[in-house]
Amino acid sequence: MAITTDPVMDGLLLQVLATPEGRTDPYAYYAQMRQGPPITRTALGPLLVHGYDDCMMVLRDPRLGRGLRGQAGSLIAYAGGDESLPLAFLELSKHNMLLADPPEHTRLRHLVSRSFTPRRIEELRGSMQQLVDQLLDQLAAAGDIEFMTQFALPLPMAVIGELVGVPKSDWADLQPRVRAAAKAIEPILSEEEAHEAFASYDYMAGYFGELIEERRRRPRGDLLSGLAQAREQDDSLTNDEVCSTAILLFAAGFETTTNLLGNGLLALLRHPAEMDRWRDEPSLAPTAVEELLRWDSPVQMNVRSALEPADLRGEPIAEGEDIIVLQGAGNHDPAHFDHAEELDLGRTDNTPLSFGWGIHHCLGAALARMEGEIALTSLLRRFAHIDLLVDEPEWRASFTLRGLLSLPLRVAA
């Protein structure tokens, strides 16, 4: 099967990347993509895969890594004229696991994982439940709420803030900077957004640099102190690596989980029978969260670059070529999932692509799953009535990170 260009596929890709309609409902466009070739070469250069098996194959192939453009998030259509901005962002952010290839990725992940163990995550369960209950008390008192800002954002920010060791007094200031910096991994951004992303990341690098120095002088029982002291024989993290990793863990720890909670609750509201099913069977929580991750993934797209000559379905890929992985589309592939367009909270044998795969599988996946299980189970237990106050909630103007800007609700016990 020769990999060729396809103007129809290019048009569908542009719709989901660049239009409000595509950001609101990319799944309608993914369904149309499945009528076309499984692999195409886009007019902009990168290859495109959208089927589950192809996405998984690309994500797991050790010959396909981040590479230079993969590190930049594959700025497919950078709208500005200052070409130094993507490279400047790379220079600031290249020292963490997300943007590294082996052997540096292997070294960084090994050292970091010691401060991010399953045991440490499980230790957070009690305090997480307490925090959820406190937030639900506030929602119950208000009645009419904005779920994203009053629950979906403060919960994961508090959890990851405490885990990393970011002072609570600084959370509110850092949140919009994280969101601005996250724009740098979007496939299309304006020059203004690129400048803002660079400035926000630069600010956070300075902030975390000072915090790291303070933790070296006075270590605590938090992840930042652990990173500052992480050592393997004579190998330790550099200041740049500690700083870049702290930014990554803090930002990823609440941005994606916020989207999981918002996207997940909206899916339940649009499938009331499944929401009632979860209420009646709280033990469904693990499979329910996995299904919500599949149904509307907080991360829709990934990018890989060929670190060496490789192949895809037997077709050669030259070193340096980029591949766009539409993992949100793969999660709805009927060739892999029975009744893929049905939300089934009891779905078994369910392995969504939402946390990535291979060596870059999300380090915080277990934490995000636990937050989703506790938060949504508690929410459904507390409120017998959860009503959406608008016909169509407003989505964020982003594609890679898919999430709601607002979700106005009325809740009642």
Side-chain angles (χ1 to χ4, degrees), residues 34-86:
R34 285 192 285 273
Q35 307 306 311
I39 306 171
T40 57
R41 181 177 299 283
T42 68
L44 296 164
L47 302 177
L48 173 69
V49 297
H50 55 84
Y52 182 95
D53 290 341
D54 290 325
C55 290
M56 180 68 85
M57 183 165 49
V58 170
L59 293 174
R60 297 183 66 175
D61 193 329
R63 300 171 299 175
L64 307 175
R66 293 301 187 181
L68 178 61
R69 289 196 53 194
Q71 289 176 341
S74 189
L75 299 178
I76 298 167
Y78 174 59
D82 187 352
E83 293 299 329
S84 68
L85 280 173

Side-chain angles (χ1 to χ4, degrees), residues 207-219 224 228 239 242:
Y207 170 84
F208 278 98
E210 293 179 4
L211 200 57
I212 289 161
E213 290 306 314
E214 195 274 334
R215 289 296 189 276
R216 283 207 170 99
R217 293 191 299 270
R218 289 183 290 277
L224 196 58
N239 283 347
V242 175

Side-chain angles (χ1 to χ4, degrees), residues 302-328:
N302 234 306
V303 176
R304 291 293 183 268
S305 293
L307 304 178
E308 59 184 83
D311 65 274
L312 189 55
R313 289 199 176 199
E315 290 298 314
I317 302 173
E319 180 179 351
E321 285 206 79
D322 297 326
I323 305 171
I324 300 170
V325 182
L326 288 182
Q327 56 199 51

